Structure formats: C-alpha cells, structure tokens
Amino acid sequence: MLELKLEQAGKRFQYEWIFKNLTVTLTPGQKLAVTGSNGSGKSTLIKCLAGQMPLSTGAIHYLVGGTPVSSAEIYQHITLSAPYLELPEEFTLAEFLQFHFRFKTLSPGMTIREAVRIMYLEKSMDKAIRNFSSGMKQRLKLGICFFSSSPFLLLDEPTSNLDERGVSWYHELVETYGGNKTIVVGSNDPREFTFCSEQLSIENFK
C-alpha cells in the first residue's frame, strides 16, 4: 500500500505560481478530488504527484509499506490516465497490452482476455490503436489503470470522450476495481468524483 505526503509543495512557471504552500497526506485507499476551473493547475499537480514533473518548492514523499520510494522508481506503483497521454498508435491492441503488462502487473485474478472483455474491445484485438475511436481509447486508458496491481491511481478528466453509457461504465470500474486503491481525480465535473470523500480546490493554493 502506498502513502504520499506533500510538504509545502509549490510549482511555478517563470513568475506564475500554479500552486504553492500545499501540504497534504494521502493514505492507502483514500479517494481525493482535485477541483478547479480549466487552466487552474489540476493537471500540473497530477503530473507532479506522478513524478513526471518536479516541484519548484517543497517536497513529495512516497512510502510503500512504510518504506521510502524515490521519484525515479514510483512509476512502478502509480498508474495515470489523462487526455494528454498518447497511446502507441502503431500497435494493435494485442501488441499494446502485451507491451504494457511487461512493465505493470495485472491485478490478482485478472487476465488480459478478461480485461479486454470488460473494456468492450473484444473485436478490436488485431486493430491498430490509430483506428480506435476517442471513446475506445479512453476506455483503454482507464482499463489499464484499474486492471493494474498498482495501488495508486491518478485520473485526470477520466470521462473525457465518454458518452453517458461510458460514464456509467467508469463508475462501475471504480466500484468494482478501485475499492482498495488510492485514487486522485482531477476534474471540474462532479460526475467524475462522486465517490471521493474529500476535495481539494487547487485555486486555494495560489
């Protein structure tokens, strides 16, 4: 199980502070929504939490079973779904899943075949990802997060490109596969974080 601690964290680009003086602890199984208007810094904070972007001030600590983990190794314990993440479009679905799960471990009891069924992609195993619709790509991004054994999920605008049926599917994923995972949702759409017990408004930390 993963615990994350931000201490007086701040990020700025040139002279503009995106957020600052942010102190928060995320405990195993916690569900947190990071809210704010478009362009307020939700995605920037999520990239910092994922170890993809360094903080300008403060510190971030990752603990797995109480043992510190470096930001260079945290990718082994975190999965991220976001609109700005590109999938390898030259791969077929089968090739991508084989590649992806060389670096991530499937959740106990989950198989690639079952994951594909749950994502409603059974008929697309040999199709190049470039030929997927935007909704299919979004289901794939979310699926590989929830079906990974990683204990910490970062979901940035998780229902982007999903229709109403897709939004319901997303909530089923959370309920069925997200219960014991720590989840951070970056969103200004309440439908995306109804399950979150806590909210953090990024605009309170300018």
Side-chain angles (χ1 to χ4, degrees), residues 75-80 100-101 103-108 110 115 140-153 177-178 180-181:
Y75 74 91
Q76 300 174 22
H77 307 278
I78 287 179
T79 52
L80 169 64
H100 177 80
F101 286 110
F103 302 96
K104 298 287 186 182
T105 303
L106 277 164
S107 297
M110 180 60 66
L140 177 56
K141 289 181 182 181
L142 290 170
I144 61 175
C145 282
F146 280 95
F147 303 144
S148 161
S149 62
S150 301
F152 197 105
L153 306 188
Y177 301 101
N180 63 346
K181 296 178 183 288

Side-chain angles (χ1 to χ4, degrees), residues 151-170:
F152 197 105
L153 306 188
L154 295 166
L155 308 177
D156 198 354
E157 298 182 4
T159 66
S160 61
N161 299 314
L162 295 182
D163 57 17
E164 288 300 319
R165 182 179 176 184
V167 173
S168 296
W169 173 83
Y170 159 71

